Amino acid sequence: MTAEIIINKAVVTDEAVFDYMALTGKPLQTLVLKRECEEYITYMQKAGRLNGYYFRTKYYDENLDRMLMLFFYKGKRLRMIQSWNLWGVCYADDWSQELEESGAVRVWLKTKIAELPQEDDWAVEVRVKHILQTTQKTLFENILKEIEDAFKCFGDKETAKEMAFLQSHYFEHGKRPALKKAKRNRKCNKRT
């Protein structure tokens, strides 16, 4: 009988990123941390020391030259991939067994960030601005209809991409219904 192969995947949550930034004032190097945590989790699993849905471990951060405490919860399993969610980060000196047993650590870890700071993606903003400036429109409210009509009549793929991008960026969460895929109107004049 062969042993089941499980691939462990570390997921760095927004809460862990927030904790790290609040502690250090520096951004978290998530790729390095994920790789090292995945190696550690796999090692612990092979050694038979990874049981349950929660564990904590110390992690030496070379950038800070300090020991951190990382808190993981078992996530979803998809076939042979087991995810482990990093829910919290604190200095190792700040953690104590008394805090763990009293439930203070659990309350802290289960606290979700209500609103993360909204960071605008400058590339998205530049592209949307370009689309809005180059699109011929009569009314701003009808811009999606005009782009859809241009696509139906002329079969312009670039316009379709712009329409999809605008819809996903500006109108995805609004009350507007999604644009439906329509058959090409054969009565429209083709471009020359």
Side-chain angles (χ1 to χ4, degrees), residues 121-138:
D121 186 352
W122 66 270
V124 170
E125 295 300 324
V126 167
R127 185 166 179 207
V128 168
K129 192 174 189 179
H130 171 72
I131 292 170
L132 291 174
Q133 288 174 349
T134 59
T135 303
Q136 295 177 359
K137 56 187 178 288
T138 55

Side-chain angles (χ1 to χ4, degrees), residues 71-87:
F71 301 87
F72 286 91
Y73 279 98
K74 194 173 197 175
K76 292 183 180 179
R77 180 168 176 183
L78 182 63
R79 296 190 183 206
M80 57 195 270
I81 300 174
Q82 176 64 58
S83 65
W84 291 91
N85 299 319
L86 175 61
W87 275 103

Side-chain angles (χ1 to χ4, degrees), residues 74-123:
K74 194 173 197 175
K76 292 183 180 179
R77 180 168 176 183
L78 182 63
R79 296 190 183 206
M80 57 195 270
I81 300 174
Q82 176 64 58
S83 65
W84 291 91
N85 299 319
L86 175 61
W87 275 103
V89 178
C90 72
Y91 290 126
D93 304 345
D94 294 341
W95 178 87
S96 70
Q97 190 66 35
E98 293 81 31
L99 287 172
E100 188 83 35
E101 290 172 358
S102 71
V105 172
R106 181 178 171 82
V107 169
W108 166 62
L109 290 175
K110 292 296 182 177
T111 304
K112 300 252 186 201
I113 297 175
E115 291 183 27
L116 293 175
Q118 185 73 22
E119 293 182 17
D120 292 334
D121 186 352
W122 66 270

Side-chain angles (χ1 to χ4, degrees), residues 127 147 150-152 154-165 191:
R127 185 166 179 207
I147 295 173
F151 177 66
K152 280 193 243 177
F154 307 114
D156 184 0
K157 290 182 181 181
E158 191 61 38
T159 304
K161 278 199 270 184
E162 291 175 356
M163 179 181 67
F165 184 80
R191 279 188 193 171

